Each structure stands twice: as C-alpha cells, then as structure tokens.
Amino acid sequence: MASTCLIFHSLQPQQQFQVPTTKSSKPSSFPFLVRPITASVSERPPLPIPSFSKVTPEPAHLPIRKIPGDCGLPFIGPYKDRLDYFYNQGRDEYFKSRIQKYQSTVFRANMPPGPFIASQPNVVVLLDGKSFPVLFDVTKVEKKDLFTGTFMPSLELTGGYRVLSYLDPSEPSHGKLKRLMFFLLQSRRDKVMPEFSSSYAELFETLEKDLAAKGKASFQDANDQAAFNFLARSLFGSNPADTKLGLDGPKLVQKWVLFQLSPILSLGLPKIIEEVVFHSARLPPFLIKSDYQRLYDFFYESSGFVLDEAERLGVSRDEACHNILFATCFNSFGGMKLFFPNVFKWIGRAGVKLHTQLAQEIRSVVRSNGGKVTMAALEQMPLMKSVVYECFRIDPPVPLQFARARQDMVIESHDCAFKIKEGELLFGYQPFATKDPRIFERSEEFVADRFMGEGEKLLEHVLWSNGRETENPKVGNKQCAGKDLVTLVSRLLVVELFLRYDSFEIQVGKSALGASITLTSLRRASF
C-alpha cells in the first residue's frame, strides 16, 4: 500500500467497552476449548540486509559521491529490471544485490512497471534510515501523483478525481480534503473502541468455529469482513449486512484495488500471464465499474453528515464521496488487511513466552482499570505498545515510498553525500530503512521489548506512517493522517487477542499483499 491512511486526529474516545472481570478473565461467550495443534511455519524468515561496513561513527563532513548505478538502455533496462524485481531475484534480493554491487545504499535503478505502462521508470533508490526520511520533507520533495509510484492508475477508478492520496500539500484541494477527513474521524471517535471490540469478537467467534470444524482457520477471510464491518460501523454508523451491499464489501474492494495495483504486484501466476495481462498493460476500468458503483452508493447513503461538511468546505458531494470511499477502502481497509496478518505472524513466531507476558500485562492492567479497556489503560501496557511498534518497524505496512525533488539538493547516507537534481524521482524501500543495522541492533530480529524504557528514543526511526513516529500528521504534510487510528486499532487487536487466549499457533504463507496466516490453535484464557 501507499502512504496516506484514513485520517484520525486527536483520537481521545470517551466511550469505553466492558470486558470480563471473572477470575479467569475469559469471555463467557466461548464455552468450548479448542484442542491445540502444533504449528508449522511455511514461510522462510527473510535473509538479512547486507551490511557493507561496520557500525562506526559517521564522519563530520561526508564526501560527495556520484550516485552509482545504471538504468540501462531505454525499454531494455527497465524490462530487465522488472524481470529481476518480480521473478529472477524477487523484491528484497533485487535491492540487496545492488547494495552489494555498488557498495552503497543509494543508487540508480528502475522501478516497475516500466514498459508499456510507465514511460519514466528511472529512480534514485534510498535504502538506509538516514537518507530515507527526505521522502517525507515536503519542503524538499513533491508528492504529486506519486501514490503508486512511477505510474498512476486511471482516474476512472476514482470517479474522475485525483483523490487526496495523489495530491501534493501545495495544491488547494489537499487542505480541504484532509480537513474533511479530520472532521469525519473527530465526529466518530467515540465509536471506534466499542465497534472494534464488537467486530473483532465476531472475528474470533468465526475463527473458533472454523478451528472446531476443520482443525484450522484462515485469518484473512475473517479479518477482511471484520475490518470492513468495523470501519463502516464506527465511521458511518452503518452495518453493511443491513444494506444492499450485504457482505460483498471486502470482495468488491479487493477487485477494485487489484485494478489499481496490478502493474506492481506479483500474484503468483505463471510468469507469462502476469507479464502480458498485468505488468504490460492496464486492466480496463469498465470491467469494475458496476462493482465500484455499489461501493459508491453505500458510502453516499451512509455519509450524509460528512458530505454536508464537504459542501461547507467547498468540496462537491460527489468528489467528497469518492475521497471517503478511497480513504476507507484503499487506505484503511487495505492497511488492516495487510498489517493485521503481520501482527499475528510476528507475535505467533515469537512463541509462548511472549504470549504469556502479553497476557499477564494486558489482563492485569484491564483488571486494575475496572475491567474496562480505555485509552488510559492502553498507555499502561508498555510491552504491548513495544510489540506493536516493533511490528511496524520490521514489517511496515507501506513498503514503497516515492517523491520528486523540488530543487537541487544534497542527501546523505551514513557514509556519503549525493547530489540530487531538481525533478529527479526518489524511491525508498521502507523495510530496509527500518531495518538499518546502523540504527537498530539485531535489526533483522523481532525484539518484542525494543521500544520499552530507553528504547523509546528509537521511535524517531520508526517510519511506517510516511513520517517519523515522533512526528504528527498535519494538513500541510503527507504523513499518514490516520496514524493515531492505525496505532490504536493495532493495539486493540493485540489486547482483544490476549484477553481471550493464552497462546495461539499459526502457519505462515504468502499472498500478493503480504503474509497469509492460518491459525492451527487458540488456547483459551486460563488465568
């Protein structure tokens, strides 16, 4: 996914939801015990990012170095790099091999899709935690029409409008639309925590039923429905099942997103099919028109109070609705679809010891807060918070970032400085920046307590939100405006999980958008 998430500003919900306060802290709605099944992890842990120099103090004055790398001949170079990126090497190895080749974390390369979709695939690649943040500085870079990188999907997929994610803060519409999203979430902030609890209680009930019937349960399908229900109920007060949309929302969204992102996705299909059908041409928008209309009608009927505010701000109801749909379905639903499985993956791999520590911390704090999960209670769970931050660090939900230089400038890696010319396209692969071994010790490892105590100082290097974790989204920047919402619901997921279960076991596979999680056991809360 790309950067601008659904906006959530000054998130301080007043409403609370009650959790069980019995001796065992077990919800009464789950009467049976699921027999544990031994997990197996089918996805191999990622190979370490190559480090070509030891951790040493940086020089006071960095030498200027010509940016290494060669984008090759027109058409031939981009096409060869596309094959390497998707098939011959894979994404991570594509970047690692070039770090080794050029002995630099800054170099020139091509980014997919290239021919025949993107005419200018040449980028300056930034792969360390020092150079990467220039992509956030809108005084130095422009973000116009770069949400998906070197190409832009057809405007027919968004009602003919360039929606907020594609706008640069210098454009007048950016401020209006971002203020509108702030209004939406300010208006509905009290609904977030109770609706999340309700929607994800349904998810866990579904998982338990599947485990009892089949011995395993897919997290993806249940999470997709729970995430869509949660967003619709909390932000618009509308239950999709009670509307014409029914339970079709997640499937419609996935098809619509595919039409936008297919040129930069690997779907696991035979190479020749992916190359011809998805990477060399755009899928025709008319094929998804009726499905998109169903989504549009649902949001138009559900968001009257937001559309009224849009008109007050000088935005038409039609443009506002397309933006609300995009922010909710692409950014927020897409983020939960991508990131929540990663949370399960990393916590699941960490094992029973961490599970027990989380369960003890979460249940103890909830009991001491009268059996309620509140914002204040969440802040009293340092291990839980650190675990969520570590998930953002090691597997950020927005892996690709693009920006265009507004002016001639110099950017710095840890060892060298590089001259960038006005108009050059900059690209950063975020998982490398947030696993920079010059910043994080044991950078390739999931360290659950990394951000506890003194470790909180490292939060400035957690960059998942298109900005530093220590910074805040504003109307005038492109930091994920829904940063607070994303952080909150990710914490709530972990809390809900360990209020109900002592431990869980998983199998991990791959999907086009990240990890695929199959649960093989859920051990009900016993203390």
Side-chain angles (χ1 to χ4, degrees), residues 421-437:
K421 294 182 179 180
E422 179 183 353
E424 287 199 275
L425 186 58
L426 308 177
F427 160 76
Y429 183 47
Q430 192 153 279
F432 277 34
T434 54
K435 288 186 283 190
D436 186 337

mmCIF file of all heavy atoms in Angstrom, residues 421-437:
data_model
loop_
_atom_site.group_PDB
_atom_site.id
_atom_site.type_symbol
_atom_site.label_atom_id
_atom_site.label_comp_id
_atom_site.label_asym_id
_atom_site.label_seq_id
_atom_site.Cartn_x
_atom_site.Cartn_y
_atom_site.Cartn_z
ATOM 1 N N LYS A 421 19.323 16.260 -8.507
ATOM 2 C CA LYS A 421 18.886 17.373 -9.345
ATOM 3 C C LYS A 421 17.374 17.559 -9.249
ATOM 4 O O LYS A 421 16.620 16.607 -9.023
ATOM 5 C CB LYS A 421 19.278 17.119 -10.802
ATOM 6 C CG LYS A 421 20.782 17.116 -11.049
ATOM 7 C CD LYS A 421 21.086 16.905 -12.526
ATOM 8 C CE LYS A 421 22.587 16.917 -12.783
ATOM 9 N NZ LYS A 421 22.903 16.705 -14.222
ATOM 10 N N GLU A 422 16.953 18.789 -9.424
ATOM 11 C CA GLU A 422 15.525 19.103 -9.435
ATOM 12 C C GLU A 422 14.799 18.220 -10.444
ATOM 13 O O GLU A 422 15.254 18.027 -11.570
ATOM 14 C CB GLU A 422 15.319 20.569 -9.798
ATOM 15 C CG GLU A 422 13.859 20.993 -9.861
ATOM 16 C CD GLU A 422 13.690 22.435 -10.290
ATOM 17 O OE1 GLU A 422 14.719 23.146 -10.411
ATOM 18 O OE2 GLU A 422 12.537 22.864 -10.513
ATOM 19 N N GLY A 423 13.680 17.656 -10.020
ATOM 20 C CA GLY A 423 12.863 16.832 -10.909
ATOM 21 C C GLY A 423 13.178 15.356 -10.856
ATOM 22 O O GLY A 423 12.404 14.543 -11.398
ATOM 23 N N GLU A 424 14.281 14.953 -10.238
ATOM 24 C CA GLU A 424 14.600 13.530 -10.167
ATOM 25 C C GLU A 424 13.620 12.809 -9.246
ATOM 26 O O GLU A 424 13.207 13.337 -8.211
ATOM 27 C CB GLU A 424 16.035 13.320 -9.675
ATOM 28 C CG GLU A 424 17.088 13.680 -10.697
ATOM 29 C CD GLU A 424 18.439 13.048 -10.383
ATOM 30 O OE1 GLU A 424 19.204 13.627 -9.596
ATOM 31 O OE2 GLU A 424 18.717 11.958 -10.946
ATOM 32 N N LEU A 425 13.261 11.596 -9.640
ATOM 33 C CA LEU A 425 12.327 10.798 -8.863
ATOM 34 C C LEU A 425 13.098 9.973 -7.836
ATOM 35 O O LEU A 425 14.030 9.238 -8.183
ATOM 36 C CB LEU A 425 11.521 9.880 -9.782
ATOM 37 C CG LEU A 425 10.396 9.066 -9.128
ATOM 38 C CD1 LEU A 425 9.382 9.983 -8.452
ATOM 39 C CD2 LEU A 425 9.703 8.180 -10.156
ATOM 40 N N LEU A 426 12.720 10.106 -6.585
ATOM 41 C CA LEU A 426 13.349 9.390 -5.486
ATOM 42 C C LEU A 426 12.436 8.263 -5.041
ATOM 43 O O LEU A 426 11.205 8.406 -4.998
ATOM 44 C CB LEU A 426 13.603 10.332 -4.302
ATOM 45 C CG LEU A 426 14.343 11.637 -4.606
ATOM 46 C CD1 LEU A 426 14.453 12.482 -3.337
ATOM 47 C CD2 LEU A 426 15.705 11.356 -5.207
ATOM 48 N N PHE A 427 13.042 7.151 -4.693
ATOM 49 C CA PHE A 427 12.279 5.988 -4.240
ATOM 50 C C PHE A 427 12.942 5.397 -3.001
ATOM 51 O O PHE A 427 14.172 5.292 -2.930
ATOM 52 C CB PHE A 427 12.215 4.920 -5.327
ATOM 53 C CG PHE A 427 11.874 3.552 -4.791
ATOM 54 C CD1 PHE A 427 10.567 3.244 -4.422
ATOM 55 C CD2 PHE A 427 12.855 2.590 -4.605
ATOM 56 C CE1 PHE A 427 10.255 1.996 -3.892
ATOM 57 C CE2 PHE A 427 12.557 1.339 -4.091
ATOM 58 C CZ PHE A 427 11.251 1.041 -3.724
ATOM 59 N N GLY A 428 12.136 5.019 -2.034
ATOM 60 C CA GLY A 428 12.657 4.340 -0.855
ATOM 61 C C GLY A 428 11.893 3.066 -0.564
ATOM 62 O O GLY A 428 10.655 3.040 -0.645
ATOM 63 N N TYR A 429 12.639 2.004 -0.271
ATOM 64 C CA TYR A 429 12.021 0.738 0.132
ATOM 65 C C TYR A 429 12.072 0.697 1.660
ATOM 66 O O TYR A 429 13.117 0.490 2.265
ATOM 67 C CB TYR A 429 12.770 -0.439 -0.483
ATOM 68 C CG TYR A 429 12.157 -1.790 -0.183
ATOM 69 C CD1 TYR A 429 10.787 -2.005 -0.338
ATOM 70 C CD2 TYR A 429 12.944 -2.849 0.240
ATOM 71 C CE1 TYR A 429 10.219 -3.235 -0.077
ATOM 72 C CE2 TYR A 429 12.388 -4.099 0.492
ATOM 73 C CZ TYR A 429 11.029 -4.278 0.338
ATOM 74 O OH TYR A 429 10.463 -5.506 0.606
ATOM 75 N N GLN A 430 10.932 0.929 2.266
ATOM 76 C CA GLN A 430 10.869 1.204 3.699
ATOM 77 C C GLN A 430 11.379 0.075 4.593
ATOM 78 O O GLN A 430 12.021 0.344 5.620
ATOM 79 C CB GLN A 430 9.439 1.592 4.089
ATOM 80 C CG GLN A 430 9.311 2.169 5.469
ATOM 81 C CD GLN A 430 8.131 3.095 5.579
ATOM 82 O OE1 GLN A 430 8.213 4.255 5.188
ATOM 83 N NE2 GLN A 430 7.025 2.601 6.099
ATOM 84 N N PRO A 431 11.128 -1.201 4.286
ATOM 85 C CA PRO A 431 11.629 -2.258 5.177
ATOM 86 C C PRO A 431 13.147 -2.248 5.346
ATOM 87 O O PRO A 431 13.653 -2.708 6.367
ATOM 88 C CB PRO A 431 11.151 -3.549 4.502
ATOM 89 C CG PRO A 431 9.930 -3.146 3.748
ATOM 90 C CD PRO A 431 10.237 -1.764 3.248
ATOM 91 N N PHE A 432 13.883 -1.725 4.361
ATOM 92 C CA PHE A 432 15.332 -1.631 4.517
ATOM 93 C C PHE A 432 15.701 -0.467 5.428
ATOM 94 O O PHE A 432 16.624 -0.562 6.240
ATOM 95 C CB PHE A 432 16.006 -1.472 3.149
ATOM 96 C CG PHE A 432 16.217 -2.764 2.425
ATOM 97 C CD1 PHE A 432 15.319 -3.807 2.536
ATOM 98 C CD2 PHE A 432 17.318 -2.948 1.615
ATOM 99 C CE1 PHE A 432 15.503 -5.006 1.872
ATOM 100 C CE2 PHE A 432 17.532 -4.140 0.933
ATOM 101 C CZ PHE A 432 16.615 -5.173 1.069
ATOM 102 N N ALA A 433 14.976 0.646 5.297
ATOM 103 C CA ALA A 433 15.258 1.807 6.141
ATOM 104 C C ALA A 433 14.967 1.513 7.606
ATOM 105 O O ALA A 433 15.704 1.946 8.499
ATOM 106 C CB ALA A 433 14.434 3.003 5.670
ATOM 107 N N THR A 434 13.905 0.770 7.872
ATOM 108 C CA THR A 434 13.533 0.492 9.260
ATOM 109 C C THR A 434 14.250 -0.729 9.835
ATOM 110 O O THR A 434 14.059 -1.060 11.003
ATOM 111 C CB THR A 434 12.004 0.299 9.383
ATOM 112 O OG1 THR A 434 11.568 -0.705 8.456
ATOM 113 C CG2 THR A 434 11.271 1.596 9.100
ATOM 114 N N LYS A 435 15.058 -1.376 9.004
ATOM 115 C CA LYS A 435 15.935 -2.452 9.496
ATOM 116 C C LYS A 435 17.403 -2.089 9.245
ATOM 117 O O LYS A 435 18.235 -2.963 9.017
ATOM 118 C CB LYS A 435 15.570 -3.785 8.833
ATOM 119 C CG LYS A 435 14.245 -4.355 9.328
ATOM 120 C CD LYS A 435 13.950 -5.731 8.777
ATOM 121 C CE LYS A 435 13.472 -5.683 7.353
ATOM 122 N NZ LYS A 435 12.954 -6.990 6.875
ATOM 123 N N ASP A 436 17.677 -0.812 9.293
ATOM 124 C CA ASP A 436 19.032 -0.329 9.076
ATOM 125 C C ASP A 436 19.922 -0.782 10.238
ATOM 126 O O ASP A 436 19.707 -0.379 11.384
ATOM 127 C CB ASP A 436 19.004 1.198 8.998
ATOM 128 C CG ASP A 436 20.355 1.802 8.623
ATOM 129 O OD1 ASP A 436 21.386 1.136 8.840
ATOM 130 O OD2 ASP A 436 20.353 2.944 8.131
ATOM 131 N N PRO A 437 20.947 -1.597 9.980
ATOM 132 C CA PRO A 437 21.809 -2.082 11.061
ATOM 133 C C PRO A 437 22.673 -0.999 11.678
ATOM 134 O O PRO A 437 23.242 -1.207 12.758
ATOM 135 C CB PRO A 437 22.669 -3.157 10.374
ATOM 136 C CG PRO A 437 22.684 -2.774 8.935
ATOM 137 C CD PRO A 437 21.344 -2.168 8.667
#
